Amino acid sequence: MIITCEKCRTKYRIADDLMGKPELKVRCHKCGHRFIVHRAAQAEDSFLLQDEVHPDYSRVIAVSNQKGGVAKSTTCLNLGAALAKMGKRVLLVDFDVQANLTILLGFRKAKSFYDVLTGGVKDIGGAVVKTKYANLSLLPSSSKMALLKKKYLSQHNFEYLLRDRLRTIQDSYDHVLIDTPPSIEFFTLNALVAANLVVIPSTCEYLSMHGVSQIHDIIGVLKKGINREVECKVLITMYDGKNTSEKVICDKLRQTYRDNLFRTMIEKDDKMQESHIVNAPISHYDAKSRAAIQYMQLAQEIAG
Ligand SMILES: Nc1ncnc2c1ncn2[C@@H]1O[C@H](COP(=O)(O)OP(=O)(O)OP(=O)(O)O)[C@@H](O)[C@H]1O
Ligand SMILES: [Mg+2]
């Protein structure tokens, strides 16, 4: 089917299998305009075609899995840095009290979402800091964030706190990536409600695979009401192809999640620890390392 951007009139071909739903949100590659395509749109075939169009599902990305240590923070940092290297404007949101993402970027004692909710800054933009990397900004976390859970968890509609505030600034960014803690509670629920896409990192370990199915089920529930638009995709992380049990679990994940599994896999790479020690994304620490190349491939898979 051929569609036309409402704003700049660029024509695109849209794959028929993408039009399974009555309508689809898309973004024009040329002018960046976001609009909705209806299945019943007029088919036209006599135009010069520019490009294929992709669903606009990659704008707010939560990186989540309640299993600990599966590379959520590492993925947030390195996927964000890879997208920024591609020229995309990226905001990283550290939504974990551990503040690992904030620490990995070398920030300490910065304003956080706690200050956004308690009036320590004028608005959410007031807490965002620019990192030393082009196109990459950060909404840091701090230990004070722990107080938010107690204060807001019992309040009606607490799960919309992040989504509503992000909406006031997200047009300034091509992608917003949210790092979440290893549990499903205040912070993770806020991230899942704000997201268009949930990236679920998983190592090829038995318990990690179970963590994936648990978060997958929770997203299924959100899709039925609170966040109908959200999609999710599993990302295999820290893969060691020499390990037989990892190979078996990798195959199992492929069979189970098929199209909902990223083609790109992130392999185990010692350079990752080294990049953490110098507080740098892997693409800036060693752009030729295996992990840097794989995170760049992941960014291309997501951003088209
Ligand atoms: N591709 C990789 N190769 C080698 N080590 C990695 C790789 N990715 C992540 N790691 C290491 O794995 C550990 C866990 O990573 P990370 O902190 O990102 O996980 P997490 O899921 O965010 O953990 P938590 O659940 O505690 O938030 C870190 O020490 C990190 O350096
Ligand atoms: Mg983490």
Side-chain angles (χ1 to χ4, degrees), residues 65 67-75 96 98 100 179-182 238 266-270 272-273 276 291 295:
N65 187 340
K67 181 86 179 66
V70 293
K72 294 182 287 296
S73 306
T74 303
T75 296
D96 181 359
Q98 298 182 86
N100 287 347
D179 187 25
T180 62
M238 291 190 260
I266 312 296
E267 289 176 74
K268 216 167 255 170
D269 187 342
D270 291 342
M272 192 58 88
Q273 280 291 342
H276 287 348
Y295 273 111

Side-chain angles (χ1 to χ4, degrees), residues 76-234:
C76 227
L77 171 68
N78 291 300
L79 172 60
L83 287 164
K85 257 198 165 180
M86 284 166 67
K88 307 283 181 189
R89 298 160 305 160
V90 177
L91 172 65
L92 301 177
V93 176
D94 191 346
F95 229 47
D96 181 359
V97 177
Q98 298 182 86
N100 287 347
L101 185 57
T102 306
I103 294 165
L104 288 175
L105 279 163
F107 288 91
R108 305 281 188 279
K109 297 201 173 130
K111 301 271 188 223
S112 70
F113 196 66
Y114 173 85
D115 299 278
V116 176
L117 292 189
T118 57
V121 286
K122 195 162 75 58
D123 52 31
I124 188 168
V128 171
V129 290
K130 283 204 161 85
T131 71
K132 58 184 171 191
Y133 308 104
N135 302 322
L136 194 64
S137 299
L138 170 73
L139 173 60
S141 176
S142 68
S143 51
K144 281 187 193 163
M145 294 267 283
L147 304 172
L148 293 181
K149 211 183 330 184
K150 192 155 181 258
K151 188 165 179 196
Y152 290 96
L153 199 54
S154 56
Q155 283 192 11
H156 182 56
N157 284 347
F158 76 86
E159 62 273 42
Y160 296 99
L161 287 167
L162 177 63
R163 186 199 70 176
D164 292 349
R165 279 152 189 86
L166 273 183
R167 280 186 175 169
T168 63
I169 55 165
Q170 70 192 38
D171 277 349
S172 308
Y173 302 97
D174 297 304
H175 301 281
V176 178
L177 274 71
I178 311 168
D179 187 25
T180 62
S183 54
I184 303 284
E185 32 69 302
F186 175 85
F187 295 107
T188 303
L189 280 174
N190 264 277
L192 297 182
V193 168
N196 311 114
L197 173 68
V198 182
V199 172
I200 310 174
S202 175
T203 54
C204 287
E205 290 167 1
Y206 183 69
L207 291 178
S208 183
M209 191 174 69
H210 277 274
V212 176
S213 84
Q214 284 163 349
I215 190 146
H216 207 264
D217 291 349
I218 290 163
I219 292 163
V221 174
L222 294 179
K223 268 175 95 78
K224 286 190 185 139
I226 205 165
N227 187 359
R228 289 179 190 279
E229 301 283 304
V230 68
E231 302 291 340
C232 62
K233 258 184 150 181
V234 179

Side-chain angles (χ1 to χ4, degrees), residues 234-261:
V234 179
L235 172 70
I236 292 176
T237 54
M238 291 190 260
Y239 182 64
D240 177 3
K242 291 192 213 103
N243 183 314
T244 313
S245 62
E246 289 212 12
K247 272 187 182 168
V248 171
I249 294 195
C250 177
D251 287 346
K252 179 85 183 144
L253 283 168
R254 284 195 188 290
Q255 281 163 20
T256 311
Y257 295 102
R258 293 167 183 273
D259 290 347
N260 288 328
L261 185 89

